[in-house]
Amino acid sequence: MTEQEQNVQTAEKKQVIFSGIQPSGTLTIGNYIGALRNFVKLQNDYDCIYCIVDEHAITVRQNPADLRRRCLELAAIYIAAGLDPQKNLIYCQSHVSAHAELAWILNCFTYMGELSRMTQFKAKSAAHEDNINAGLFTYPVLMAADILLYQTNLVPVGVDQKQHLELCRDIAQRFNSVYGNVFTIPEGYIPKIGAKIMSLQEPEKKMSKSDPAECYIAILDDPDTIRRKIKRAVTDSDGEIRFDPESKPGVSNLLSIMSALGDEDVDSIATRMQGKGYGELKKETADCVIAALEPLQAEYKRLIADKAYLQNVIDTNAAAANSLAIRTLRKVQKKVGFAPRG
Ligand code: AQP
């Protein structure tokens, strides 16, 4: 190969991105700002795999009909947000069996002590005391399998997934130290602004799609609902508009939302709003959220009416994802000593 051919090949080989969102409820602006928006920003510079992680969703009990419906809805949301299904792999995790198969092998390279330290496991087992299942406990191993299957370089996530990503790196390094360079060690991509959007009603807690509806803004909420929810958002009583997440979590959360969606620095928004009341801050935040979501909502409405198109996207992309995933899976199976296929 000539040097020129080598250069062309190097230039063409893009790095790989993997990330996913659970179809465990209607997506919130936390999911949008912390993850989805960045998926869209990164799609031209990387080979991107954006999964609908339905296997993760069943770690908490789901209504089957709702889960089924939400998978197609999430595919529509991905595309409506700006992800091109010709360029990015958009598919359901349960349609590529290599995810679950690799997760089993990686379970055997993960320690109980590591999993017991995961803060999401502690929080979710406290919230679902009647169903502390083994899947909830080994969730980070399935997440590691998702990422490592595709030899991923970069994982765009919100800050709540940082601990899981660190565990994924530890598992990959452990496996590589025994069997050689099998897995690429992934890096996280965590946004500077909006990595953790907080609940509207309990601003010390992360906004989550499985919380009561008043705590979050769903990306499909209509303008009246958005205004009502933001109007009722918990703030404080000192009346000063200032960014200080420790002592003013509610006000700071509204400033973060506005900053992330309007691409304006939090301090500059706070300075601009000096002397105005919380009513005005809430009104501006609502205007900003409504304007940011409007194009996505219009496109979603169009896409969700065409179920056949969405089904075709997830089917064809699952087939493509499967052929990539199987390469890593077969290599791993061989390394650990599974008998060859005839
Ligand atoms: N509040 C948030 N702020 C910023 N980023 C967030 N993410 C979630 N909540 C926020 C990011 O969204 C991506 C998808 O998350 P997920 O659905 O896979 O799981 P999650 O982190 O558990 O999200 P939720 O909304 O809290 O779901 P439930 O209620 O089902 O547990 C991730 O990159 C996450 O960091």
Side-chain angles (χ1 to χ4, degrees), residues 25-52:
T26 316
L27 259 59
T28 71
I29 53 161
N31 301 128
Y32 180 67
I33 294 171
L36 183 53
R37 215 169 60 116
N38 302 313
F39 297 179
V40 179
K41 283 187 192 160
L42 295 163
Q43 68 177 327
N44 292 323
D45 298 329
Y46 294 84
D47 282 336
C48 302
I49 301 155
Y50 294 126
C51 192
I52 296 162

Short mmCIF file of all heavy atoms in Angstrom, two decimals, residues 25-52:
data_model
loop_
_atom_site.label_atom_id
_atom_site.label_comp_id
_atom_site.label_asym_id
_atom_site.label_seq_id
_atom_site.Cartn_x
_atom_site.Cartn_y
_atom_site.Cartn_z
N GLY A 25 -39.87 5.53 29.53
CA GLY A 25 -40.83 6.60 29.77
C GLY A 25 -40.65 7.62 28.66
O GLY A 25 -39.83 7.41 27.76
N THR A 26 -41.39 8.72 28.75
CA THR A 26 -41.22 9.77 27.74
C THR A 26 -39.92 10.51 28.04
O THR A 26 -39.70 10.89 29.19
CB THR A 26 -42.38 10.79 27.83
OG1 THR A 26 -43.58 10.05 27.97
CG2 THR A 26 -42.45 11.66 26.62
N LEU A 27 -39.11 10.72 27.03
CA LEU A 27 -37.82 11.37 27.29
C LEU A 27 -38.01 12.76 27.89
O LEU A 27 -38.95 13.48 27.54
CB LEU A 27 -37.05 11.52 25.97
CG LEU A 27 -35.95 10.49 25.75
CD1 LEU A 27 -36.52 9.10 25.77
CD2 LEU A 27 -35.24 10.76 24.44
N THR A 28 -37.09 13.14 28.77
CA THR A 28 -37.15 14.45 29.42
C THR A 28 -36.15 15.39 28.76
O THR A 28 -35.27 14.94 28.01
CB THR A 28 -36.77 14.34 30.91
OG1 THR A 28 -35.35 14.07 30.99
CG2 THR A 28 -37.53 13.25 31.62
N ILE A 29 -36.24 16.69 29.13
CA ILE A 29 -35.21 17.59 28.60
C ILE A 29 -33.86 17.27 29.23
O ILE A 29 -32.83 17.69 28.71
CB ILE A 29 -35.55 19.09 28.76
CG1 ILE A 29 -35.90 19.41 30.19
CG2 ILE A 29 -36.63 19.52 27.80
CD1 ILE A 29 -35.77 20.90 30.47
N GLY A 30 -33.83 16.52 30.33
CA GLY A 30 -32.55 16.04 30.88
C GLY A 30 -31.90 15.07 29.90
O GLY A 30 -30.72 15.23 29.54
N ASN A 31 -32.66 14.10 29.43
CA ASN A 31 -32.14 13.15 28.42
C ASN A 31 -31.71 13.90 27.15
O ASN A 31 -30.71 13.56 26.52
CB ASN A 31 -33.20 12.11 28.02
CG ASN A 31 -33.71 11.27 29.17
OD1 ASN A 31 -34.92 11.17 29.37
ND2 ASN A 31 -32.83 10.69 29.96
N TYR A 32 -32.50 14.91 26.80
CA TYR A 32 -32.22 15.67 25.57
C TYR A 32 -30.92 16.47 25.70
O TYR A 32 -30.02 16.37 24.86
CB TYR A 32 -33.41 16.60 25.27
CG TYR A 32 -33.21 17.41 24.01
CD1 TYR A 32 -33.19 16.79 22.77
CD2 TYR A 32 -33.03 18.79 24.08
CE1 TYR A 32 -32.97 17.54 21.60
CE2 TYR A 32 -32.83 19.53 22.92
CZ TYR A 32 -32.80 18.90 21.70
OH TYR A 32 -32.59 19.64 20.55
N ILE A 33 -30.82 17.23 26.80
CA ILE A 33 -29.64 18.11 26.96
C ILE A 33 -28.39 17.29 27.29
O ILE A 33 -27.31 17.52 26.75
CB ILE A 33 -29.91 19.17 28.07
CG1 ILE A 33 -31.03 20.11 27.61
CG2 ILE A 33 -28.65 19.94 28.41
CD1 ILE A 33 -31.53 21.06 28.71
N GLY A 34 -28.56 16.28 28.17
CA GLY A 34 -27.40 15.51 28.61
C GLY A 34 -26.89 14.53 27.56
O GLY A 34 -25.71 14.21 27.53
N ALA A 35 -27.80 14.04 26.70
CA ALA A 35 -27.38 12.98 25.78
C ALA A 35 -27.80 13.27 24.33
O ALA A 35 -26.95 13.54 23.47
CB ALA A 35 -27.97 11.65 26.26
N LEU A 36 -29.08 13.22 24.05
CA LEU A 36 -29.57 13.21 22.66
C LEU A 36 -29.03 14.36 21.79
O LEU A 36 -28.62 14.16 20.65
CB LEU A 36 -31.11 13.21 22.68
CG LEU A 36 -31.84 13.14 21.36
CD1 LEU A 36 -31.38 11.97 20.51
CD2 LEU A 36 -33.36 13.03 21.59
N ARG A 37 -29.03 15.57 22.35
CA ARG A 37 -28.55 16.73 21.60
C ARG A 37 -27.08 16.54 21.17
O ARG A 37 -26.68 16.94 20.09
CB ARG A 37 -28.64 17.93 22.54
CG ARG A 37 -29.00 19.22 21.92
CD ARG A 37 -29.30 20.18 23.02
NE ARG A 37 -28.14 20.35 23.88
CZ ARG A 37 -27.49 21.51 24.01
NH1 ARG A 37 -27.90 22.56 23.36
NH2 ARG A 37 -26.46 21.61 24.83
N ASN A 38 -26.32 15.90 22.06
CA ASN A 38 -24.91 15.68 21.72
C ASN A 38 -24.74 14.57 20.71
O ASN A 38 -23.81 14.59 19.92
CB ASN A 38 -24.11 15.39 23.00
CG ASN A 38 -24.27 16.53 23.97
OD1 ASN A 38 -24.13 17.68 23.59
ND2 ASN A 38 -24.64 16.22 25.20
N PHE A 39 -25.67 13.60 20.71
CA PHE A 39 -25.62 12.55 19.67
C PHE A 39 -25.66 13.25 18.30
O PHE A 39 -24.93 12.90 17.39
CB PHE A 39 -26.83 11.61 19.74
CG PHE A 39 -27.00 10.78 20.99
CD1 PHE A 39 -28.09 9.91 21.11
CD2 PHE A 39 -26.10 10.83 22.03
CE1 PHE A 39 -28.28 9.13 22.23
CE2 PHE A 39 -26.28 10.05 23.18
CZ PHE A 39 -27.38 9.21 23.27
N VAL A 40 -26.57 14.21 18.20
CA VAL A 40 -26.77 14.89 16.92
C VAL A 40 -25.53 15.68 16.52
O VAL A 40 -25.06 15.62 15.38
CB VAL A 40 -28.02 15.82 16.99
CG1 VAL A 40 -28.24 16.55 15.67
CG2 VAL A 40 -29.26 15.02 17.37
N LYS A 41 -24.94 16.39 17.51
CA LYS A 41 -23.76 17.21 17.23
C LYS A 41 -22.59 16.36 16.73
O LYS A 41 -21.78 16.82 15.95
CB LYS A 41 -23.29 17.92 18.51
CG LYS A 41 -24.13 19.11 18.88
CD LYS A 41 -23.49 19.82 20.06
CE LYS A 41 -24.43 20.84 20.66
NZ LYS A 41 -24.08 21.20 22.03
N LEU A 42 -22.50 15.12 17.21
CA LEU A 42 -21.32 14.30 16.93
C LEU A 42 -21.46 13.44 15.69
O LEU A 42 -20.49 12.82 15.25
CB LEU A 42 -21.03 13.40 18.15
CG LEU A 42 -20.64 14.15 19.44
CD1 LEU A 42 -20.78 13.24 20.65
CD2 LEU A 42 -19.22 14.67 19.34
N GLN A 43 -22.67 13.40 15.11
CA GLN A 43 -22.93 12.37 14.08
C GLN A 43 -22.09 12.51 12.81
O GLN A 43 -21.87 11.51 12.13
CB GLN A 43 -24.42 12.32 13.72
CG GLN A 43 -24.94 13.53 13.01
CD GLN A 43 -26.41 13.38 12.63
OE1 GLN A 43 -26.89 12.29 12.34
NE2 GLN A 43 -27.14 14.48 12.66
N ASN A 44 -21.62 13.70 12.49
CA ASN A 44 -20.85 13.83 11.24
C ASN A 44 -19.39 13.45 11.40
O ASN A 44 -18.71 13.14 10.43
CB ASN A 44 -20.95 15.26 10.71
CG ASN A 44 -22.37 15.54 10.24
OD1 ASN A 44 -23.02 14.65 9.69
ND2 ASN A 44 -22.86 16.74 10.50
N ASP A 45 -18.90 13.50 12.62
CA ASP A 45 -17.46 13.28 12.82
C ASP A 45 -17.12 11.86 13.27
O ASP A 45 -15.94 11.53 13.38
CB ASP A 45 -16.93 14.28 13.86
CG ASP A 45 -17.09 15.71 13.35
OD1 ASP A 45 -17.02 15.89 12.12
OD2 ASP A 45 -17.33 16.61 14.17
N TYR A 46 -18.11 11.07 13.56
CA TYR A 46 -17.87 9.71 14.07
C TYR A 46 -18.78 8.71 13.36
O TYR A 46 -19.81 9.09 12.80
CB TYR A 46 -18.17 9.65 15.58
CG TYR A 46 -17.23 10.47 16.42
CD1 TYR A 46 -17.45 11.83 16.61
CD2 TYR A 46 -16.13 9.88 17.03
CE1 TYR A 46 -16.58 12.60 17.38
CE2 TYR A 46 -15.26 10.64 17.81
CZ TYR A 46 -15.49 12.00 17.98
OH TYR A 46 -14.63 12.75 18.74
N ASP A 47 -18.43 7.42 13.46
CA ASP A 47 -19.37 6.36 13.09
C ASP A 47 -20.21 6.11 14.34
O ASP A 47 -19.67 5.67 15.37
CB ASP A 47 -18.62 5.07 12.71
CG ASP A 47 -18.06 5.18 11.30
OD1 ASP A 47 -18.60 5.96 10.50
OD2 ASP A 47 -17.07 4.49 11.01
N CYS A 48 -21.50 6.40 14.27
CA CYS A 48 -22.30 6.43 15.51
C CYS A 48 -23.33 5.30 15.59
O CYS A 48 -24.01 5.00 14.60
CB CYS A 48 -23.03 7.75 15.64
SG CYS A 48 -21.92 9.16 15.64
N ILE A 49 -23.41 4.73 16.77
CA ILE A 49 -24.38 3.67 17.04
C ILE A 49 -25.23 4.16 18.21
O ILE A 49 -24.71 4.36 19.32
CB ILE A 49 -23.64 2.36 17.41
CG1 ILE A 49 -22.72 1.96 16.25
CG2 ILE A 49 -24.61 1.24 17.75
CD1 ILE A 49 -21.55 1.11 16.66
N TYR A 50 -26.51 4.42 17.94
CA TYR A 50 -27.40 4.94 18.98
C TYR A 50 -28.52 3.93 19.21
O TYR A 50 -29.44 3.79 18.41
CB TYR A 50 -27.94 6.31 18.58
CG TYR A 50 -26.85 7.36 18.52
CD1 TYR A 50 -26.64 8.14 17.39
CD2 TYR A 50 -26.00 7.56 19.61
CE1 TYR A 50 -25.63 9.10 17.35
CE2 TYR A 50 -24.98 8.51 19.58
CZ TYR A 50 -24.81 9.28 18.45
OH TYR A 50 -23.80 10.21 18.41
N CYS A 51 -28.40 3.24 20.32
CA CYS A 51 -29.25 2.09 20.60
C CYS A 51 -30.48 2.49 21.44
O CYS A 51 -30.43 3.44 22.21
CB CYS A 51 -28.38 1.09 21.37
SG CYS A 51 -29.06 -0.53 21.53
N ILE A 52 -31.55 1.73 21.26
CA ILE A 52 -32.75 1.88 22.10
C ILE A 52 -32.63 0.74 23.10
O ILE A 52 -32.85 -0.43 22.74
CB ILE A 52 -34.01 1.76 21.22
CG1 ILE A 52 -34.03 2.93 20.21
CG2 ILE A 52 -35.29 1.71 22.07
CD1 ILE A 52 -34.95 2.71 19.02
#
